[in-house]
Amino acid sequence: MKKTIITLLLPLCSLAVLAQTKKPVAKKTTTATKKTTSVAKPNPVTFKSSLDSASYSFGIGMASSMKNEGLTALNYDLLIKGLKDAFAGTTPLISEENSRQAISNLFKTMSQKKFAPNIAEGKAFLEKNKTQPGVQVTPSGLQYQVVTRGTGVKPAATDTVLVHYKGSLLNGKEFDSSYSRNEPLALPLNGVIMGWTEGVQLMQTGSKYKFFIPYNLAYGERGAGADIPPYSTLIFEIELLKVTPPAKAAQQAQ
């Protein structure tokens, strides 16, 4: 930058000196002539082989996929270097683990920016909801409310539970319900989202609880299908009907 500024100043200094030392001269009338300059057009890309067209197609496909995920630009020099190093068998500049982490961090940052309203909505809801009568909060941030307290056994994380349930988003949209199907669901308690695994263990058989599950205890940054967007705080009503220990569940399955 400094060199550029000095370069620009030199002609100005020369003009100033000339203005002081030279005597004024009569101005000559000159006729300005316009010069037409033609802008060189870039040479059109031609595909000379199937490898050429496939190479370009790889680039288009990769970029389209990443663009759909919210990525708008890359460091193209390093992208090409990565491709060349991989094909040449050169030792990568970063480890495979660090590569996966870097990609994960990039997409996570973009996702959080894209779904910032979901995150803010969930945080505001939970802050207000925890002050409501009867709402209790666990150390993990799970919130729950006892609708009906049962008198049966509490399940362990390794048990299979039979439940009736209804799940909805904060806007009230219902995304799943065993009540609508008129059929309770049996599932292993350690095979569901963390909010369920933790919450249902608080219940006794015959209980009905209402759970308010932060996104990090639900489906997180990925969401679930078309009905549960990323970073969604979820509301579940769960009725615990039956608890089956692992050994007995295995016998029933056989």
Side-chain angles (χ1 to χ4, degrees):
M1 179 64 75
K2 184 176 180 181
K3 184 176 179 181
T4 304
I5 295 173
I6 294 173
T7 305
L8 291 172
L9 287 176
L10 286 175
L12 295 176
C13 294
S14 301
L15 290 173
V17 172
L18 289 173
Q20 292 177 2
T21 57
K22 287 189 176 183
K23 294 180 180 179
V25 294
K27 292 183 179 180
K28 293 182 180 180
T29 304
T30 58
T31 304
T33 58
K34 291 185 178 179
K35 293 183 179 180
T36 58
T37 57
S38 59
V39 179
K41 295 182 178 179
N43 294 327
V45 176
T46 56
F47 301 124
K48 299 179 181 179
S49 66
S50 59
L51 178 62
D52 289 350
S53 55
S55 298
Y56 183 77
S57 299
F58 275 127
I60 289 293
M62 290 166 57
S64 297
S65 177
M66 289 185 286
K67 190 175 180 181
N68 288 338
E69 294 293 331
L71 191 63
T72 56
L74 287 171
N75 185 322
Y76 304 114
D77 292 337
L78 289 176
L79 173 65
I80 293 172
K81 178 169 177 55
L83 291 170
K84 288 182 176 179
D85 286 353
F87 279 114
T90 305
T91 302
L93 299 178
I94 56 177
S95 68
E96 183 178 349
E97 181 181 352
N98 288 340
S99 293
R100 288 196 299 267
Q101 190 61 50
I103 293 172
S104 175
N105 290 342
L106 177 62
F107 280 106
K108 184 175 182 179
T109 299
M110 293 189 305
S111 179
Q112 287 178 337
K113 184 177 180 180
K114 180 179 180 180
F115 293 101
N118 290 21
I119 298 174
E121 180 188 29
K123 184 177 180 180
F125 171 83
L126 292 171
E127 281 295 317
K128 182 179 180 180
N129 189 65
K130 69 182 181 181
T131 64
Q132 300 302 310
V135 173
Q136 302 182 59
V137 186
T138 71
S140 70
L142 176 68
Q143 298 182 7
Y144 67 95
Q145 192 173 32
V146 178
V147 179
T148 303
R149 192 179 297 278
T151 57
V153 298
K154 287 185 177 182
T158 53
D159 290 340
T160 294
V161 295
L162 182 69
V163 294
H164 255 316
Y165 69 94
K166 178 175 71 173
S168 59
L169 303 176
L170 294 183
N171 60 10
K173 180 181 178 181
E174 184 178 296
F175 55 80
D176 193 11
S177 173
S178 65
Y179 294 106
S180 297
R181 297 188 296 271
N182 197 29
E183 182 180 359
L185 178 67
L187 45 81
L189 200 51
N190 58 6
V192 291
I193 58 175
M194 291 186 289
W196 267 61
T197 302
E198 178 185 357
V200 176
Q201 289 185 81
L202 302 173
M203 304 174 68
Q204 292 175 275
T205 307
S207 296
K208 184 175 183 179
Y209 281 26
K210 190 171 186 179
F211 294 98
F212 310 91
I213 306 179
Y215 73 82
N216 59 300
L217 299 178
Y219 295 98
E221 61 194 58
R222 295 185 179 277
D227 295 324
I228 303 177
Y231 299 99
S232 292
T233 294
L234 305 178
I235 300 175
F236 278 99
E237 293 180 21
I238 302 177
E239 185 178 357
L240 181 59
L241 304 176
K242 184 180 179 182
V243 176
T244 305
K248 189 173 182 180
Q251 290 177 354
Q252 292 176 350
Q254 290 176 355

